[in-house]
Amino acid sequence: MHPIAAARRLVWLMALAGFAADQITKALVAAHLEGQPPIQVVGDLVSLNASRNSGAAFSFAPAATAVFTLVAIGVVVVIVRAASALRSTGWAMALGLVLAGAAGNLTDRLLRAPGLGRGAVVDFIDVRHFATFNLADACITCGAVLAVLLSMRGIPMTQKTAPTAEPA
């Protein structure tokens, strides 16, 4: 298989898998955990505790939901456009994860109450003394860390083309 086709497939596979896992877990949490006491998973360190977040990470700027909706749309558009030229497996994985997370949280912002573009994201993984987040957030974080590592190693997203000779 051609490297571009393989990388493009991997982006979509990662994005679909992450998006599906995120949306399924959020639906289960909304149906079964909202309004219930937290469920301890790892002692007092990690629990499942349903909450809604209209802001960004760590509930930053809860009044800026519309801004975060627009940013997420921009991220999705940029990654979808970049995917067409990818040749790197690592970058395909990184961008697929970020795409999964951005699309997962964007879906909440578009479809959940209080309305279109203003919906609150469902968070449920509560790590004591840290934050409450969801699988979309985990995908974004893992994809971003992978992107930083790939950048630090100098691995390009696309294959560099050989310089062309300038006419004399």
Side-chain angles (χ1 to χ4, degrees):
M1 183 182 297
H2 193 273
I4 291 177
R8 189 178 310 140
R9 262 187 217 193
L10 184 56
V11 166
W12 291 112
L13 178 65
M14 297 292 292
L16 266 167
F19 178 79
D22 175 66
Q23 291 300 297
I24 290 168
T25 56
K26 286 175 179 173
L28 290 170
V29 165
H32 301 290
L33 294 181
E34 282 190 320
Q36 301 298 318
I39 298 171
Q40 299 302 317
V41 178
V42 181
D44 288 342
L45 182 63
V46 180
S47 64
L48 300 179
N49 186 17
S51 64
R52 299 288 178 121
N53 180 3
S54 59
F58 304 102
S59 297
F60 171 74
T65 305
V67 173
F68 298 128
T69 301
L70 293 174
V71 169
I73 291 169
V75 168
V76 168
V77 168
V78 167
I79 291 174
V80 168
R81 292 194 68 198
S84 65
L86 285 177
R87 289 183 179 258
S88 164
T89 300
W91 278 104
M93 291 173 59
L95 294 183
L97 285 167
V98 173
L99 180 57
N105 284 339
L106 176 60
T107 298
D108 281 10
R109 293 188 189 286
L110 292 175
L111 302 179
R112 294 199 188 272
L116 185 66
R118 298 175 293 123
V121 173
V122 174
D123 286 334
F124 59 93
I125 304 166
D126 188 354
V127 178
R128 187 171 169 218
H129 303 300
F130 179 63
T132 303
F133 57 96
N134 57 48
L135 292 185
D137 298 333
C139 285
I140 291 168
T141 301
C142 291
V145 167
L146 181 55
V148 168
L149 293 173
L150 292 166
S151 293
M152 289 173 56
R153 293 195 57 212
I155 297 173
M157 280 192 219
T158 60
Q159 186 167 333
K160 295 179 182 179
T161 56
T164 56
E166 292 186 23

